Amino acid sequence: MSAEISGAEEARIRDRYRAGGLLGALTPGTAPAVIVVDLQYGFTDARYGPGFDLDSVVTATTELVTVARENDVPVYFTTIAFPADGDGIGATWLRKMPAMRGLRAGDHSVEIDGRLGMRPGDPLVVKQTASAFAHTDLSDRLTEAGVDTVLVAGATTSGCVRATVVDACAANLPAFVVRECVGDREDGPHRAALLDIDAKYGDVISLAAAQAIARRL
């Protein structure tokens, strides 16, 4: 799926997928949580190697977080942070993405973007792989909190967002990716990832629909 794919071609792909038994629909539960994936300065500030323009994503995610807080929906933030003195479990990933070598524990680049209004005590998952679930305690935290649905925001759509949704599906946890709240460096991978997620692992929904889930409507 290239950046030049037309809306008509995407519609044809969806028709073929649906005819082949893909593109089923999930039903949200009654105990949602928001997972904000890697909206740290290393990604939201273009001065850092992995960074790019995520302003609109940050703005939309802040709106989602606000509604979640108003309705006592827990918000979990994730950040990529490698040890200050080594690569931890992320050595292979860093060979593929050396731009992330500056994302070290204690550096400003691993802090959550202040525009999101993260509060003291908000759960923070520190990771060294793409998925928020891999080699972290996120699954245990969600289970302990009784969470039965996750609303996923963040970056990048084709990388850490997609990996997180795939693992949520593997954990039998319905995942809803909020279209306005995710972003990628290029439109082609972004759109392809959204289509792939929607076809096989989670539902891609609007910000308004996500806010309705947060309000338990």
Side-chain angles (χ1 to χ4, degrees):
M1 182 172 173
S2 72
E4 292 78 24
I5 187 171
S6 67
E9 177 58 19
E10 181 169 338
R12 285 193 289 271
I13 292 172
R14 287 181 172 276
D15 286 343
R16 291 196 298 271
Y17 278 2
R18 196 170 288 108
L22 286 73
L23 281 167
L26 299 175
T27 301
T30 58
V34 174
I35 301 177
V36 180
V37 178
D38 302 348
L39 290 185
Q40 60 197 87
Y41 287 113
F43 284 89
T44 64
D45 188 338
R47 291 177 295 180
Y48 292 100
F52 59 103
D53 182 6
L54 282 165
D55 286 355
S56 64
V57 169
V58 170
T59 297
T61 302
T62 302
E63 294 178 22
L64 176 61
V65 168
T66 297
V67 171
R69 295 196 191 284
E70 291 171 350
N71 291 272
D72 297 321
V73 171
V75 181
Y76 295 77
F77 294 89
T78 81
T79 186
I80 299 170
F82 299 99
D85 58 353
D87 294 342
I89 61 173
T92 298
W93 198 18
L94 285 173
R95 283 196 293 271
K96 290 298 295 182
M97 285 192 66
M100 296 195 301
R101 288 197 173 277
L103 305 181
R104 299 291 175 175
D107 190 77
H108 180 67
S109 63
V110 308
E111 296 177 10
I112 302 301
D113 192 309
R115 293 173 291 177
L116 290 159
M118 184 180 179
R119 298 173 177 175
D122 280 343
L124 177 65
V125 176
V126 179
K127 63 192 185 74
Q128 297 166 21
T129 62
S131 169
F133 290 92
H135 304 285
T136 76
D137 63 350
L138 178 58
S139 182
D140 291 339
R141 293 195 199 190
L142 296 176
T143 299
E144 184 177 352
V147 171
D148 62 11
T149 301
V150 290
L151 304 171
V152 183
T156 61
T157 316
S158 62
C160 296
V161 169
R162 182 184 182 279
T164 295
V165 174
V166 170
D167 279 357
C169 183
N172 204 29
L173 188 61
F176 296 81
V177 175
V178 188
R179 185 182 296 274
E180 295 93 330
C181 297
V182 294
D184 215 314
R185 295 177 182 84
E186 299 289 342
D187 186 58
H190 170 73
R191 293 174 59 192
L194 287 178
L195 177 57
D196 188 61
I197 290 168
D198 205 35
K200 296 181 286 188
Y201 304 110
D203 281 10
V204 177
I205 62 174
S206 68
L207 175 58
Q211 290 171 323
I213 291 174
R215 295 185 180 108
R216 280 83 156 186
L217 298 179

